[in-house]
PDB file of all heavy atoms in Angstrom:
ATOM      1  N   ASP A 499       2.170  29.067  -3.228  1.00  0.00           N
ATOM      2  CA  ASP A 499       0.857  29.299  -3.749  1.00  0.00           C
ATOM      3  C   ASP A 499       0.636  28.367  -5.002  1.00  0.00           C
ATOM      4  O   ASP A 499       1.530  28.255  -5.817  1.00  0.00           O
ATOM      5  CB  ASP A 499       0.711  30.779  -4.190  1.00  0.00           C
ATOM      6  CG  ASP A 499      -0.676  31.111  -4.533  1.00  0.00           C
ATOM      7  OD1 ASP A 499      -1.568  30.837  -3.552  1.00  0.00           O
ATOM      8  OD2 ASP A 499      -0.993  31.598  -5.674  1.00  0.00           O
ATOM      9  N   GLY A 500      -0.552  27.721  -4.953  1.00  0.00           N
ATOM     10  CA  GLY A 500      -0.803  26.805  -6.105  1.00  0.00           C
ATOM     11  C   GLY A 500      -0.316  25.318  -5.950  1.00  0.00           C
ATOM     12  O   GLY A 500      -0.574  24.503  -6.749  1.00  0.00           O
ATOM     13  N   PHE A 501       0.381  25.175  -4.816  1.00  0.00           N
ATOM     14  CA  PHE A 501       0.988  23.801  -4.543  1.00  0.00           C
ATOM     15  C   PHE A 501      -0.167  22.842  -4.279  1.00  0.00           C
ATOM     16  O   PHE A 501      -0.932  23.138  -3.320  1.00  0.00           O
ATOM     17  CB  PHE A 501       1.914  23.926  -3.370  1.00  0.00           C
ATOM     18  CG  PHE A 501       2.624  22.640  -3.110  1.00  0.00           C
ATOM     19  CD1 PHE A 501       3.940  22.417  -3.585  1.00  0.00           C
ATOM     20  CD2 PHE A 501       2.087  21.706  -2.231  1.00  0.00           C
ATOM     21  CE1 PHE A 501       4.621  21.249  -3.242  1.00  0.00           C
ATOM     22  CE2 PHE A 501       2.746  20.485  -1.928  1.00  0.00           C
ATOM     23  CZ  PHE A 501       4.030  20.325  -2.395  1.00  0.00           C
ATOM     24  N   ALA A 502      -0.263  21.744  -4.971  1.00  0.00           N
ATOM     25  CA  ALA A 502      -1.393  20.831  -4.681  1.00  0.00           C
ATOM     26  C   ALA A 502      -0.759  19.413  -4.307  1.00  0.00           C
ATOM     27  O   ALA A 502       0.393  19.064  -4.789  1.00  0.00           O
ATOM     28  CB  ALA A 502      -2.199  20.598  -6.007  1.00  0.00           C
ATOM     29  N   SER A 503      -1.420  18.781  -3.385  1.00  0.00           N
ATOM     30  CA  SER A 503      -0.879  17.474  -2.950  1.00  0.00           C
ATOM     31  C   SER A 503      -1.933  16.719  -2.185  1.00  0.00           C
ATOM     32  O   SER A 503      -3.118  17.046  -2.290  1.00  0.00           O
ATOM     33  CB  SER A 503       0.378  17.682  -2.029  1.00  0.00           C
ATOM     34  OG  SER A 503       1.072  16.502  -1.880  1.00  0.00           O
ATOM     35  N   GLU A 504      -1.530  15.637  -1.531  1.00  0.00           N
ATOM     36  CA  GLU A 504      -2.448  14.826  -0.782  1.00  0.00           C
ATOM     37  C   GLU A 504      -2.037  14.710   0.687  1.00  0.00           C
ATOM     38  O   GLU A 504      -0.924  14.951   1.026  1.00  0.00           O
ATOM     39  CB  GLU A 504      -2.385  13.341  -1.315  1.00  0.00           C
ATOM     40  CG  GLU A 504      -2.858  13.179  -2.753  1.00  0.00           C
ATOM     41  CD  GLU A 504      -1.713  13.473  -3.752  1.00  0.00           C
ATOM     42  OE1 GLU A 504      -0.488  13.189  -3.483  1.00  0.00           O
ATOM     43  OE2 GLU A 504      -2.089  13.870  -4.797  1.00  0.00           O
ATOM     44  N   VAL A 505      -3.060  14.350   1.468  1.00  0.00           N
ATOM     45  CA  VAL A 505      -2.832  14.055   2.911  1.00  0.00           C
ATOM     46  C   VAL A 505      -3.611  12.797   3.154  1.00  0.00           C
ATOM     47  O   VAL A 505      -4.779  12.746   2.809  1.00  0.00           O
ATOM     48  CB  VAL A 505      -3.383  15.122   3.803  1.00  0.00           C
ATOM     49  CG1 VAL A 505      -3.190  14.750   5.308  1.00  0.00           C
ATOM     50  CG2 VAL A 505      -2.709  16.445   3.587  1.00  0.00           C
ATOM     51  N   SER A 506      -2.969  11.800   3.836  1.00  0.00           N
ATOM     52  CA  SER A 506      -3.709  10.616   4.170  1.00  0.00           C
ATOM     53  C   SER A 506      -4.091  10.652   5.664  1.00  0.00           C
ATOM     54  O   SER A 506      -3.298  10.284   6.572  1.00  0.00           O
ATOM     55  CB  SER A 506      -2.830   9.339   3.896  1.00  0.00           C
ATOM     56  OG  SER A 506      -3.635   8.223   4.272  1.00  0.00           O
ATOM     57  N   LEU A 507      -5.375  11.076   5.903  1.00  0.00           N
ATOM     58  CA  LEU A 507      -5.830  11.154   7.247  1.00  0.00           C
ATOM     59  C   LEU A 507      -6.087   9.719   7.717  1.00  0.00           C
ATOM     60  O   LEU A 507      -5.959   9.376   8.858  1.00  0.00           O
ATOM     61  CB  LEU A 507      -7.122  12.005   7.327  1.00  0.00           C
ATOM     62  CG  LEU A 507      -6.940  13.451   6.806  1.00  0.00           C
ATOM     63  CD1 LEU A 507      -8.292  14.180   6.809  1.00  0.00           C
ATOM     64  CD2 LEU A 507      -5.961  14.194   7.708  1.00  0.00           C
ATOM     65  N   GLY A 508      -6.512   8.809   6.767  1.00  0.00           N
ATOM     66  CA  GLY A 508      -6.816   7.456   7.120  1.00  0.00           C
ATOM     67  C   GLY A 508      -5.631   6.705   7.551  1.00  0.00           C
ATOM     68  O   GLY A 508      -5.668   5.827   8.473  1.00  0.00           O
ATOM     69  N   ALA A 509      -4.409   6.949   6.940  1.00  0.00           N
ATOM     70  CA  ALA A 509      -3.204   6.190   7.273  1.00  0.00           C
ATOM     71  C   ALA A 509      -2.853   6.363   8.765  1.00  0.00           C
ATOM     72  O   ALA A 509      -2.534   5.475   9.470  1.00  0.00           O
ATOM     73  CB  ALA A 509      -2.109   6.587   6.385  1.00  0.00           C
ATOM     74  N   SER A 510      -2.877   7.653   9.191  1.00  0.00           N
ATOM     75  CA  SER A 510      -2.488   7.993  10.540  1.00  0.00           C
ATOM     76  C   SER A 510      -3.406   7.288  11.526  1.00  0.00           C
ATOM     77  O   SER A 510      -2.987   6.688  12.557  1.00  0.00           O
ATOM     78  CB  SER A 510      -2.520   9.485  10.826  1.00  0.00           C
ATOM     79  OG  SER A 510      -1.667  10.084   9.911  1.00  0.00           O
ATOM     80  N   GLY A 511      -4.739   7.302  11.258  1.00  0.00           N
ATOM     81  CA  GLY A 511      -5.726   6.632  12.128  1.00  0.00           C
ATOM     82  C   GLY A 511      -5.495   5.138  12.168  1.00  0.00           C
ATOM     83  O   GLY A 511      -5.506   4.517  13.243  1.00  0.00           O
ATOM     84  N   TRP A 512      -5.206   4.569  11.003  1.00  0.00           N
ATOM     85  CA  TRP A 512      -4.950   3.082  10.879  1.00  0.00           C
ATOM     86  C   TRP A 512      -3.728   2.712  11.778  1.00  0.00           C
ATOM     87  O   TRP A 512      -3.810   1.727  12.481  1.00  0.00           O
ATOM     88  CB  TRP A 512      -4.832   2.713   9.471  1.00  0.00           C
ATOM     89  CG  TRP A 512      -4.532   1.232   9.294  1.00  0.00           C
ATOM     90  CD1 TRP A 512      -5.511   0.258   9.219  1.00  0.00           C
ATOM     91  CD2 TRP A 512      -3.245   0.591   9.210  1.00  0.00           C
ATOM     92  NE1 TRP A 512      -4.894  -0.985   9.140  1.00  0.00           N
ATOM     93  CE2 TRP A 512      -3.508  -0.794   9.049  1.00  0.00           C
ATOM     94  CE3 TRP A 512      -1.981   1.008   9.201  1.00  0.00           C
ATOM     95  CZ2 TRP A 512      -2.507  -1.780   8.886  1.00  0.00           C
ATOM     96  CZ3 TRP A 512      -0.911   0.116   9.053  1.00  0.00           C
ATOM     97  CH2 TRP A 512      -1.241  -1.298   8.906  1.00  0.00           C
TER      98      TRP A 512
END
Side-chain angles (χ1 to χ4, degrees):
D499 192 53
F501 184 97
S503 194
E504 295 85 30
V505 177
S506 179
L507 301 174
S510 303
W512 180 84

